[in-house]
Amino acid sequence: MHGDEATIRKILTGLGDTWAVVGLSTNRGRAAYGVAEVLQRFGKRVVPVHPKAETVHGEQGYASLADIPFEVDVVDVFVNGELAGAVADEAVAKGAKAVWFQLGVVDEAAYDRTRAAGLEMVMDRCPAIEIPRLG
């Protein structure tokens, strides 16, 4: 299992409040839009990362993780499974503390590389589901 309760709690409450949400755009029909809204409600700064670099939920967007001119604590990945591993590698290069793969996204090799680099990681879970459970 890639997301035990202790790791989920650590990422959501202990590693910092700046979350880069890769795949977040102004499309209200996408899951990333609603999840980002929930994260903001729980005090997280949500930084949109999308090729269009749109402003979403009042936060300036960036075309890539490398373009963000400040530190990022957690990288939340809303891209299809084939692209997720590359995003995890970018998160390591960016100096993030954790990577979170959304529901349905599992990449064992990316998990191993990310953990080997010293980052926390959760796969196939949703922070918008997990964060309210923490109380």
Side-chain angles (χ1 to χ4, degrees):
M1 178 149 149
H2 304 291
D4 62 86
E5 294 305 315
T7 301
I8 289 169
R9 180 173 294 278
K10 182 176 183 180
I11 292 173
L12 288 170
T13 65
L15 293 183
D17 291 332
T18 302
W19 284 54
V21 181
V22 179
L24 175 57
S25 71
T26 57
N27 183 344
R28 293 172 182 265
R30 304 284 302 186
Y33 191 90
V35 169
E37 221 167 25
V38 171
L39 289 169
Q40 275 189 326
R41 215 169 35 242
F42 280 87
K44 305 301 181 192
R45 178 182 185 189
V46 173
V47 181
V49 179
H50 187 278
K52 294 181 182 175
E54 300 169 306
T55 296
V56 185
H57 299 309
E59 286 284 348
Q60 167 65 49
Y62 297 90
S64 72
L65 286 174
D67 290 342
I68 300 172
F70 48 83
E71 289 188 11
V72 168
D73 300 310
V74 181
V75 175
D76 191 3
V77 183
F78 278 95
V79 298
N80 72 41
E82 295 84 51
L83 303 175
V87 176
D89 295 338
E90 291 169 25
V92 170
K94 177 70 183 165
K97 299 172 189 160
V99 174
W100 192 299
F101 280 6
Q102 283 296 321
L103 291 171
V105 180
V106 175
D107 182 329
E108 298 291 342
Y111 181 87
D112 292 342
R113 288 192 311 272
T114 302
R115 294 294 294 132
L119 283 70
E120 298 293 339
M121 187 162 180
V122 170
M123 295 193 299
D124 194 26
R125 302 292 282 267
C126 178
I129 293 170
E130 301 299 334
I131 201 166
R133 293 182 185 172
L134 298 178

